[in-house]
Amino acid sequence: MTTAWEQAYLTLRRCLADGTYPPGAHLREEDLATQLGVSRTPIREALRRLDAEGWLRVVPNQGAFAAEWSLPEMIEIFDLRAMLESHAAEHAAKRPGPGHAKGRL
């Protein structure tokens, strides 16, 4: 079972990823709490985590805003992700799981 802040985090992350909250959108704690049916405390925790992950930016005394990424930043992120995923796949391919017999593929 997920906690209220985890559910708020997952919902807000999905909304940021799918464009429900477009880049630059002002995310107000009170509005989010009402929309998600939780208190402001889980919203604050979710916003802190999303800020740390780069999904949004929190501006003191102004609130949270959906992240705005430039094209070069997006290209860099996708390039890094492609490198990491290919490295992980290569690493996994070299380490067969417990279901494989020794010496047999």
Side-chain angles (χ1 to χ4, degrees):
M1 183 171 175
T2 59
T3 63
W5 83 264
E6 289 171 321
Q7 188 60 43
Y9 163 79
L10 293 170
T11 301
L12 293 173
R13 187 180 69 177
R14 186 184 71 246
C15 289
L16 289 161
D18 71 14
T20 300
Y21 302 128
H26 191 184
L27 306 176
R28 293 177 177 83
E29 286 181 13
E30 291 179 26
D31 296 340
L32 296 171
T34 300
Q35 291 170 10
L36 301 181
V38 297
S39 71
R40 289 173 53 185
T41 301
I43 297 297
R44 279 189 208 112
E45 183 59 33
L47 293 176
R48 277 194 284 275
R49 183 169 174 189
L50 292 164
D51 180 38
E53 293 176 356
W55 286 98
L56 49 81
R57 62 184 172 82
V58 176
V59 179
N61 301 318
Q62 293 184 25
F65 298 85
E68 297 181 75
W69 298 7
S70 67
L71 182 58
E73 289 171 324
M74 288 189 278
I75 291 170
E76 181 180 8
I77 289 166
F78 282 108
D79 287 347
L80 289 170
R81 185 172 175 176
M83 287 189 295
L84 288 171
E85 288 179 0
S86 63
H87 177 73
E90 178 183 351
H91 186 68
K94 290 179 181 177
R95 305 180 107 209
H100 290 86
K102 285 188 175 184
R104 295 176 51 193
L105 294 177

